[in-house]
Coordinates of all heavy atoms in Angstrom, one line a residue:
M9 N 60.7 -31.1 8.8 CA 62.2 -31.1 8.8 C 62.6 -29.8 8.2 O 62.2 -29.4 7.1 CB 62.7 -32.3 8.1 CG 64.3 -32.3 8.1 SD 64.9 -33.9 7.4 CE 66.5 -33.4 7.1
S10 N 63.5 -29.1 8.9 CA 64.0 -27.8 8.4 C 65.2 -28.0 7.4 O 65.8 -29.0 7.5 CB 64.4 -26.9 9.6 OG 65.5 -27.5 10.3
Y11 N 65.4 -27.0 6.6 CA 66.5 -27.0 5.7 C 67.3 -25.7 5.9 O 66.6 -24.6 6.0 CB 66.1 -27.1 4.3 CG 67.3 -27.2 3.4 CD1 67.9 -28.4 3.1 CD2 67.8 -26.0 2.8 CE1 69.0 -28.5 2.3 CE2 68.9 -26.1 2.0 CZ 69.5 -27.3 1.8 OH 70.7 -27.4 1.0
P12 N 68.6 -25.6 6.0 CA 69.4 -26.8 6.0 C 69.4 -27.6 7.3 O 69.0 -27.0 8.3 CB 70.8 -26.3 5.7 CG 70.8 -24.8 6.2 CD 69.4 -24.4 6.0
P13 N 69.7 -28.9 7.2 CA 69.6 -29.7 8.4 C 70.5 -29.2 9.5 O 71.7 -28.8 9.2 CB 70.0 -31.1 7.9 CG 70.7 -30.9 6.7 CD 70.1 -29.7 6.1
A14 N 70.1 -29.2 10.8 CA 70.9 -28.7 11.8 C 72.2 -29.3 12.0 O 73.2 -28.7 12.4 CB 70.0 -28.7 13.1
D15 N 72.3 -30.6 11.7 CA 73.5 -31.3 11.9 C 74.4 -31.3 10.7 O 75.5 -32.0 10.7 CB 73.3 -32.8 12.4 CG 72.6 -33.6 11.3 OD1 72.1 -33.0 10.3 OD2 72.6 -34.8 11.4
D16 N 74.0 -30.6 9.7 CA 74.9 -30.5 8.5 C 74.7 -29.1 7.8 O 74.9 -29.0 6.6 CB 74.4 -31.6 7.5 CG 75.5 -32.0 6.5 OD1 76.7 -31.6 6.7 OD2 75.2 -32.6 5.5
R17 N 74.5 -28.2 8.7 CA 74.1 -26.8 8.2 C 75.3 -26.2 7.5 O 75.1 -25.6 6.4 CB 73.7 -25.9 9.4 CG 73.2 -24.6 8.9 CD 72.7 -23.8 10.1 NE 71.5 -24.3 10.6 CZ 71.3 -24.7 11.9 NH1 72.2 -24.4 12.8 NH2 70.2 -25.2 12.3
L18 N 76.5 -26.2 8.1 CA 77.6 -25.6 7.5 C 77.9 -26.0 6.0 O 78.1 -25.3 5.1 CB 78.9 -25.7 8.4 CG 80.1 -25.0 7.9 CD1 79.9 -23.5 7.8 CD2 81.3 -25.3 8.8
R19 N 77.9 -27.4 5.9 CA 78.2 -27.9 4.5 C 77.1 -27.5 3.5 O 77.4 -27.1 2.4 CB 78.2 -29.4 4.6 CG 78.5 -30.1 3.3 CD 79.0 -31.5 3.4 NE 78.1 -32.4 4.1 CZ 78.2 -33.7 4.1 NH1 79.2 -34.3 3.4 NH2 77.3 -34.4 4.7
H20 N 75.9 -27.5 3.9 CA 74.8 -27.1 3.0 C 74.9 -25.6 2.7 O 74.7 -25.2 1.6 CB 73.4 -27.4 3.6 CG 73.0 -28.8 3.5 ND1 72.3 -29.2 2.4 CD2 73.3 -29.9 4.2 CE1 72.1 -30.5 2.5 NE2 72.7 -31.0 3.6
L21 N 75.2 -24.7 3.7 CA 75.4 -23.3 3.4 C 76.5 -23.0 2.4 O 76.4 -22.2 1.5 CB 75.6 -22.5 4.7 CG 74.4 -22.5 5.7 CD1 74.8 -21.9 7.0 CD2 73.3 -21.7 5.1
I22 N 77.6 -23.7 2.6 CA 78.8 -23.6 1.7 C 78.4 -24.0 0.3 O 78.6 -23.4 -0.7 CB 80.0 -24.3 2.2 CG1 80.5 -23.6 3.5 CG2 81.1 -24.3 1.2 CD1 81.6 -24.4 4.2
A23 N 77.7 -25.2 0.2 CA 77.3 -25.7 -1.1 C 76.3 -24.8 -1.8 O 76.4 -24.6 -3.0 CB 76.6 -27.1 -0.9
Q24 N 75.4 -24.2 -1.0 CA 74.5 -23.2 -1.7 C 75.3 -22.1 -2.3 O 74.9 -21.6 -3.4 CB 73.5 -22.7 -0.6 CG 72.4 -23.7 -0.2 CD 71.6 -23.1 0.9 OE1 71.5 -21.9 1.1 NE2 71.0 -24.0 1.7
Q25 N 76.3 -21.6 -1.6 CA 77.1 -20.5 -2.1 C 77.9 -20.9 -3.3 O 77.9 -20.2 -4.3 CB 78.0 -19.9 -1.0 CG 78.8 -18.7 -1.4 CD 77.9 -17.5 -1.6 OE1 76.9 -17.3 -0.9 NE2 78.3 -16.7 -2.6
V26 N 78.6 -22.0 -3.2 CA 79.4 -22.5 -4.3 C 78.5 -22.8 -5.5 O 78.9 -22.6 -6.7 CB 80.2 -23.8 -3.9 CG1 80.8 -24.5 -5.1 CG2 81.2 -23.5 -2.8
N27 N 77.3 -23.3 -5.3 CA 76.4 -23.7 -6.4 C 76.1 -22.5 -7.4 O 75.8 -22.7 -8.5 CB 75.1 -24.2 -5.8 CG 74.3 -25.0 -6.8 OD1 74.8 -25.7 -7.6 ND2 73.0 -24.8 -6.8
C28 N 76.3 -21.3 -6.9 CA 76.1 -20.1 -7.8 C 77.2 -20.1 -8.9 O 76.9 -19.4 -9.9 CB 76.2 -18.8 -7.0 SG 74.9 -18.7 -5.7
D29 N 78.3 -20.7 -8.7 CA 79.4 -20.6 -9.6 C 79.8 -21.8 -10.3 O 80.8 -21.8 -11.0 CB 80.6 -20.1 -8.8 CG 80.4 -18.7 -8.1 OD1 79.8 -17.8 -8.8 OD2 80.7 -18.5 -7.0
V30 N 79.2 -23.0 -10.0 CA 79.5 -24.2 -10.7 C 78.3 -24.8 -11.4 O 77.2 -24.3 -11.2 CB 80.1 -25.2 -9.7 CG1 81.4 -24.7 -9.1 CG2 79.1 -25.6 -8.6
D31 N 78.5 -25.8 -12.2 CA 77.4 -26.3 -13.1 C 76.4 -27.2 -12.4 O 75.2 -27.2 -12.8 CB 78.0 -27.1 -14.2 CG 78.8 -26.2 -15.2 OD1 78.4 -25.0 -15.3 OD2 79.7 -26.7 -15.9
T32 N 76.8 -27.9 -11.4 CA 75.9 -28.9 -10.7 C 75.9 -28.8 -9.2 O 77.0 -28.4 -8.6 CB 76.3 -30.3 -11.1 OG1 77.5 -30.7 -10.6 CG2 76.3 -30.5 -12.6
W33 N 74.8 -29.1 -8.6 CA 74.7 -29.2 -7.2 C 75.6 -30.3 -6.6 O 76.3 -30.1 -5.6 CB 73.3 -29.5 -6.7 CG 73.1 -29.8 -5.3 CD1 72.9 -31.0 -4.7 CD2 73.2 -28.8 -4.2 NE1 72.8 -30.8 -3.3 CE2 73.0 -29.5 -3.0 CE3 73.4 -27.4 -4.2 CZ2 73.1 -28.9 -1.8 CZ3 73.5 -26.8 -2.9 CH2 73.3 -27.5 -1.7
K34 N 75.8 -31.3 -7.4 CA 76.7 -32.4 -7.0 C 78.1 -31.9 -6.8 O 78.8 -32.2 -5.8 CB 76.6 -33.6 -8.0 CG 77.5 -34.8 -7.6 CD 77.3 -35.9 -8.6 CE 78.1 -37.1 -8.2 NZ 78.1 -38.2 -9.2
L35 N 78.6 -31.1 -7.8 CA 79.9 -30.6 -7.7 C 80.0 -29.6 -6.5 O 81.0 -29.6 -5.8 CB 80.3 -29.9 -9.0 CG 81.7 -29.2 -9.0 CD1 82.8 -30.1 -8.7 CD2 81.9 -28.5 -10.4
A36 N 79.0 -28.7 -6.3 CA 79.0 -27.8 -5.2 C 79.1 -28.5 -3.9 O 79.8 -28.1 -3.0 CB 77.7 -26.9 -5.3
F37 N 78.3 -29.6 -3.8 CA 78.3 -30.3 -2.5 C 79.6 -31.0 -2.3 O 80.1 -31.1 -1.2 CB 77.1 -31.3 -2.5 CG 76.6 -31.7 -1.2 CD1 75.9 -30.7 -0.5 CD2 76.9 -32.9 -0.6 CE1 75.4 -31.0 0.8 CE2 76.4 -33.2 0.7 CZ 75.7 -32.2 1.4
W38 N 80.3 -31.5 -3.4 CA 81.6 -32.2 -3.2 C 82.6 -31.1 -2.8 O 83.4 -31.4 -1.9 CB 82.0 -32.7 -4.6 CG 83.2 -33.5 -4.6 CD1 83.4 -34.8 -4.2 CD2 84.5 -33.1 -5.0 NE1 84.7 -35.2 -4.3 CE2 85.4 -34.1 -4.8 CE3 85.0 -31.9 -5.6 CZ2 86.8 -34.0 -5.2 CZ3 86.3 -31.8 -5.9 CH2 87.2 -32.8 -5.7
I39 N 82.6 -29.9 -3.3 CA 83.5 -28.9 -2.9 C 83.3 -28.5 -1.4 O 84.2 -28.4 -0.6 CB 83.4 -27.7 -3.8 CG1 83.9 -28.0 -5.2 CG2 84.2 -26.5 -3.2 CD1 83.6 -26.9 -6.3
A40 N 82.0 -28.3 -1.1 CA 81.6 -28.0 0.3 C 82.1 -29.1 1.3 O 82.5 -28.7 2.4 CB 80.1 -27.8 0.4
N41 N 82.0 -30.3 0.9 CA 82.4 -31.4 1.7 C 83.9 -31.3 2.1 O 84.3 -31.5 3.2 CB 82.1 -32.7 1.0 CG 82.3 -33.9 1.9 OD1 81.7 -34.0 3.0 ND2 83.2 -34.8 1.5
G42 N 84.7 -31.0 1.1 CA 86.1 -30.8 1.3 C 86.4 -29.6 2.2 O 87.4 -29.7 3.0
I43 N 85.6 -28.6 2.1 CA 85.9 -27.4 2.9 C 85.5 -27.7 4.4 O 86.3 -27.4 5.3 CB 85.1 -26.2 2.4 CG1 85.6 -25.7 1.0 CG2 85.1 -25.0 3.4 CD1 84.8 -24.7 0.3
V44 N 84.4 -28.2 4.7 CA 84.0 -28.5 6.1 C 84.9 -29.5 6.8 O 85.0 -29.5 8.0 CB 82.5 -28.9 6.2 CG1 81.6 -27.8 5.8 CG2 82.2 -30.2 5.5
K45 N 85.5 -30.3 6.0 CA 86.4 -31.4 6.6 C 87.8 -31.0 6.7 O 88.7 -31.7 7.1 CB 86.2 -32.7 5.8 CG 84.8 -33.3 6.0 CD 84.7 -34.6 5.3 CE 83.3 -35.2 5.6 NZ 83.0 -36.4 4.8
C46 N 88.2 -29.8 6.2 CA 89.5 -29.3 6.2 C 89.9 -28.8 7.6 O 89.4 -27.8 8.0 CB 89.7 -28.2 5.1 SG 91.3 -27.4 5.2
P47 N 90.9 -29.5 8.2 CA 91.3 -29.0 9.6 C 91.8 -27.6 9.6 O 91.5 -26.9 10.6 CB 92.4 -30.0 9.9 CG 92.2 -31.2 9.1 CD 91.6 -30.7 7.8
E48 N 92.5 -27.2 8.6 CA 93.1 -25.8 8.7 C 92.0 -24.8 8.6 O 92.0 -23.7 9.3 CB 94.0 -25.6 7.5 CG 95.3 -26.4 7.6 CD 95.2 -27.8 7.1 OE1 94.2 -28.2 6.6 OE2 96.2 -28.5 7.3
I49 N 90.9 -25.0 7.8 CA 89.8 -24.1 7.7 C 89.0 -24.1 9.0 O 88.7 -23.0 9.5 CB 88.9 -24.4 6.5 CG1 89.7 -24.2 5.2 CG2 87.6 -23.6 6.6 CD1 88.9 -24.7 4.0
R50 N 88.8 -25.2 9.6 CA 88.0 -25.3 10.9 C 88.8 -24.6 12.0 O 88.3 -23.9 12.8 CB 87.7 -26.7 11.2 CG 86.9 -27.5 10.2 CD 86.3 -28.7 10.8 NE 85.2 -28.4 11.6 CZ 83.9 -28.4 11.3 NH1 83.5 -28.8 10.1 NH2 82.9 -28.1 12.1
A51 N 90.2 -24.8 12.0 CA 91.0 -24.1 13.0 C 90.9 -22.6 12.8 O 90.9 -21.8 13.8 CB 92.4 -24.6 12.8
E52 N 90.9 -22.1 11.6 CA 90.8 -20.7 11.3 C 89.5 -20.1 11.8 O 89.4 -19.0 12.4 CB 91.1 -20.4 9.8 CG 91.0 -18.9 9.5 CD 92.1 -18.1 10.1 OE1 92.9 -18.6 10.9 OE2 92.1 -16.9 9.9
F53 N 88.4 -20.8 11.6 CA 87.1 -20.4 12.1 C 87.2 -20.3 13.6 O 86.7 -19.3 14.2 CB 86.0 -21.4 11.8 CG 85.4 -21.2 10.4 CD1 85.2 -22.3 9.6 CD2 85.0 -20.0 10.0 CE1 84.6 -22.1 8.3 CE2 84.4 -19.8 8.7 CZ 84.2 -20.9 7.9
R54 N 87.8 -21.3 14.3 CA 87.9 -21.2 15.7 C 88.7 -20.1 16.2 O 88.4 -19.4 17.2 CB 88.4 -22.6 16.3 CG 87.4 -23.7 16.3 CD 87.9 -24.9 17.1 NE 89.1 -25.5 16.5 CZ 88.9 -26.5 15.6 NH1 87.8 -27.0 15.2 NH2 90.0 -27.1 15.0
R55 N 89.8 -19.8 15.5 CA 90.7 -18.7 15.9 C 90.0 -17.4 15.7 O 90.0 -16.5 16.6 CB 92.0 -18.7 14.9 CG 93.0 -17.6 15.4 CD 94.0 -17.3 14.3 NE 93.4 -16.7 13.1 CZ 93.1 -15.4 13.0 NH1 93.3 -14.6 14.0 NH2 92.6 -14.9 11.9
I56 N 89.2 -17.2 14.6 CA 88.5 -15.9 14.4 C 87.4 -15.8 15.5 O 87.3 -14.7 16.1 CB 87.8 -16.0 13.0 CG1 88.9 -15.8 12.0 CG2 86.8 -14.9 12.9 CD1 88.4 -16.1 10.5
E57 N 86.7 -16.8 15.8 CA 85.6 -16.7 16.8 C 86.2 -16.5 18.2 O 85.6 -15.7 19.0 CB 84.7 -17.9 16.8 CG 83.8 -18.0 15.6 CD 83.1 -16.7 15.3 OE1 82.5 -16.2 16.2 OE2 83.1 -16.2 14.2
A58 N 87.3 -17.1 18.5 CA 88.0 -16.9 19.8 C 88.4 -15.4 20.0 O 88.3 -14.8 21.0 CB 89.2 -17.8 20.0
A59 N 88.9 -14.8 18.9 CA 89.3 -13.4 18.9 C 88.1 -12.5 19.2 O 88.2 -11.6 20.0 CB 90.0 -13.0 17.6
H60 N 87.0 -12.8 18.5 CA 85.8 -12.0 18.7 C 85.3 -12.1 20.1 O 84.9 -11.2 20.7 CB 84.7 -12.4 17.7 CG 85.1 -12.1 16.2 ND1 84.4 -12.7 15.2 CD2 86.0 -11.3 15.7 CE1 84.9 -12.2 14.0 NE2 85.9 -11.4 14.3
A61 N 85.3 -13.4 20.6 CA 84.8 -13.6 21.9 C 85.6 -12.9 23.0 O 85.1 -12.5 24.0 CB 84.8 -15.1 22.2
A62 N 86.9 -12.7 22.7 CA 87.8 -11.9 23.6 C 87.7 -10.4 23.3 O 88.4 -9.6 24.0 CB 89.2 -12.4 23.4
G63 N 86.8 -10.0 22.4 CA 86.7 -8.6 22.1 C 87.8 -8.0 21.2 O 88.1 -6.8 21.2
Q64 N 88.5 -8.9 20.6 CA 89.7 -8.5 19.8 C 89.4 -8.6 18.3 O 88.6 -9.5 17.9 CB 90.9 -9.4 20.1 CG 91.3 -9.4 21.5 CD 91.9 -8.0 21.9 OE1 92.6 -7.4 21.2 NE2 91.5 -7.5 23.1
P65 N 89.9 -7.8 17.4 CA 89.8 -8.0 16.0 C 90.5 -9.2 15.6 O 91.6 -9.6 16.1 CB 90.4 -6.7 15.4 CG 91.4 -6.2 16.4 CD 90.8 -6.6 17.8
C66 N 89.9 -10.0 14.6 CA 90.5 -11.2 14.2 C 91.6 -11.0 13.2 O 92.4 -11.9 13.0 CB 89.4 -12.1 13.6 SG 88.7 -11.5 12.1
G67 N 91.6 -9.9 12.5 CA 92.7 -9.6 11.6 C 92.4 -10.1 10.2 O 93.2 -9.9 9.3
D68 N 91.2 -10.7 10.0 CA 90.8 -11.2 8.6 C 90.2 -10.0 7.8 O 89.2 -9.4 8.3 CB 89.9 -12.3 8.7 CG 89.6 -13.0 7.4 OD1 89.1 -12.3 6.5 OD2 90.0 -14.2 7.2
R69 N 90.8 -9.7 6.7 CA 90.3 -8.5 5.9 C 88.9 -8.7 5.4 O 88.2 -7.7 5.0 CB 91.2 -8.2 4.8 CG 91.2 -9.2 3.6 CD 91.9 -8.8 2.4 NE 93.4 -8.7 2.7 CZ 94.3 -8.3 1.8 NH1 93.9 -8.0 0.6 NH2 95.5 -8.3 2.1
N70 N 88.4 -9.9 5.4 CA 87.0 -10.1 4.9 C 86.0 -10.2 6.0 O 84.8 -10.5 5.7 CB 87.0 -11.5 4.1 CG 88.0 -11.5 2.9 OD1 87.9 -10.6 2.1 ND2 88.9 -12.4 3.0
C71 N 86.4 -10.0 7.2 CA 85.5 -10.2 8.4 C 84.4 -9.1 8.5 O 84.7 -8.0 8.7 CB 86.3 -10.3 9.6 SG 85.2 -10.6 11.1
D72 N 83.1 -9.5 8.3 CA 82.0 -8.6 8.4 C 81.8 -8.1 9.9 O 81.5 -7.0 10.1 CB 80.7 -9.2 7.9 CG 80.3 -10.5 8.6 OD1 81.2 -11.1 9.3 OD2 79.2 -10.8 8.5
T73 N 82.1 -8.9 10.8 CA 82.0 -8.6 12.3 C 83.0 -7.4 12.6 O 82.6 -6.4 13.2 CB 82.3 -9.8 13.2 OG1 81.3 -10.8 12.9 CG2 82.2 -9.4 14.6
C74 N 84.2 -7.6 12.2 CA 85.2 -6.5 12.5 C 84.9 -5.3 11.7 O 85.1 -4.1 12.2 CB 86.6 -7.0 12.2 SG 87.1 -8.3 13.4
F75 N 84.4 -5.4 10.5 CA 84.1 -4.3 9.6 C 83.0 -3.5 10.3 O 83.1 -2.2 10.4 CB 83.7 -4.7 8.3 CG 83.4 -3.6 7.3 CD1 84.4 -3.0 6.6 CD2 82.1 -3.2 7.1 CE1 84.2 -1.9 5.7 CE2 81.8 -2.1 6.2 CZ 82.9 -1.5 5.5
A76 N 81.9 -4.2 10.8 CA 80.8 -3.5 11.4 C 81.3 -2.8 12.7 O 80.8 -1.8 13.1 CB 79.7 -4.5 11.7
A77 N 82.2 -3.5 13.5 CA 82.7 -2.9 14.7 C 83.4 -1.6 14.6 O 83.4 -0.8 15.5 CB 83.6 -3.9 15.4
Q78 N 84.0 -1.4 13.4 CA 84.6 -0.1 13.1 C 83.6 1.1 13.2 O 84.0 2.2 13.5 CB 85.3 -0.1 11.8 CG 86.5 -1.0 11.7 CD 87.1 -1.0 10.3 OE1 86.5 -0.5 9.3 NE2 88.3 -1.6 10.1
F79 N 82.4 0.8 12.9 CA 81.4 1.8 12.8 C 80.4 1.8 14.0 O 79.5 2.6 14.1 CB 80.6 1.7 11.5 CG 81.5 1.8 10.3 CD1 81.9 0.7 9.6 CD2 82.0 3.1 9.9 CE1 82.7 0.8 8.5 CE2 82.8 3.2 8.8 CZ 83.2 2.0 8.1
A80 N 80.6 0.9 15.0 CA 79.8 0.8 16.2 C 80.1 2.1 17.1 O 81.2 2.5 17.2 CB 80.1 -0.4 16.9
T81 N 79.0 2.6 17.7 CA 79.1 3.7 18.6 C 79.6 3.2 19.9 O 79.0 2.4 20.5 CB 77.8 4.4 18.7 OG1 77.3 4.7 17.4 CG2 77.9 5.6 19.6
P82 N 80.7 3.8 20.4 CA 81.2 3.4 21.7 C 80.2 3.7 22.8 O 79.5 4.8 22.7 CB 82.5 4.2 21.9 CG 82.9 4.6 20.5 CD 81.6 4.8 19.8
T83 N 80.1 2.9 23.8 CA 79.2 3.2 25.0 C 80.1 3.4 26.2 O 81.3 3.1 26.2 CB 78.3 2.0 25.2 OG1 79.0 0.9 25.6 CG2 77.5 1.7 24.0
Q84 N 79.4 3.8 27.3 CA 80.2 4.0 28.6 C 80.7 2.7 29.1 O 81.8 2.7 29.7 CB 79.3 4.6 29.6 CG 79.0 6.1 29.3 CD 78.2 6.8 30.5 OE1 77.5 6.1 31.2 NE2 78.4 8.1 30.6
E85 N 80.0 1.6 28.9 CA 80.5 0.3 29.3 C 81.6 -0.2 28.5 O 82.4 -1.0 28.9 CB 79.4 -0.7 29.3 CG 78.1 -0.4 30.2 CD 77.2 0.6 29.5 OE1 77.1 0.5 28.2 OE2 76.7 1.5 30.1
N86 N 81.7 0.3 27.2 CA 82.7 -0.2 26.3 C 83.3 0.9 25.6 O 83.1 1.1 24.4 CB 82.0 -1.2 25.4 CG 83.1 -1.9 24.5 OD1 84.2 -2.0 24.8 ND2 82.6 -2.4 23.3
P87 N 84.1 1.8 26.2 CA 84.7 2.9 25.6 C 85.7 2.5 24.5 O 86.3 1.5 24.6 CB 85.4 3.7 26.7 CG 85.7 2.6 27.7 CD 84.5 1.6 27.6
A88 N 85.8 3.4 23.5 CA 86.7 3.1 22.4 C 88.2 3.3 22.9 O 88.4 4.0 23.8 CB 86.4 4.1 21.2
Ligands
ZN8 ZN1 86.7 -10.3 12.8

């Protein structure tokens, strides 16, 4: 069985990150649980991914995808 589990990967990834800053894994997992179940956060993930899929910047200042795109070399198929 792989870790994190495929059907609960997002929650485990968030908990791993939060765990660096809190005292217990239980607390990290509790915080991660609230994040993955938050409709506003899930909607924002969908909005960001839809923008990227359409080739548009998502507008989030923390977005690594858009940051990397600023430095991508334009090609003939995809001129700047
Ligand atoms: Zn983006």
Side-chain angles (χ1 to χ4, degrees):
M9 181 174 162
S10 65
Y11 183 86
D15 66 346
D16 203 14
R17 185 176 293 127
L18 183 60
R19 181 163 58 168
H20 280 266
L21 291 173
I22 293 169
Q24 286 175 23
Q25 184 66 35
V26 170
N27 196 41
C28 300
D29 300 317
V30 299
D31 290 335
T32 67
W33 171 254
K34 184 178 180 182
L35 177 57
F37 208 72
W38 184 80
I39 293 169
N41 189 56
I43 291 171
V44 296
K45 291 182 177 175
C46 173
E48 290 83 4
I49 291 172
R50 300 197 75 97
E52 179 65 357
F53 276 135
R54 284 194 292 272
R55 186 195 67 76
I56 288 170
E57 290 310 313
H60 293 164
Q64 301 294 318
C66 65
D68 188 297
R69 71 171 65 181
N70 303 301
C71 180
D72 59 342
T73 299
C74 292
F75 185 82
Q78 290 178 351
F79 300 102
T81 304
T83 66
Q84 287 186 332
E85 300 80 37
N86 186 22

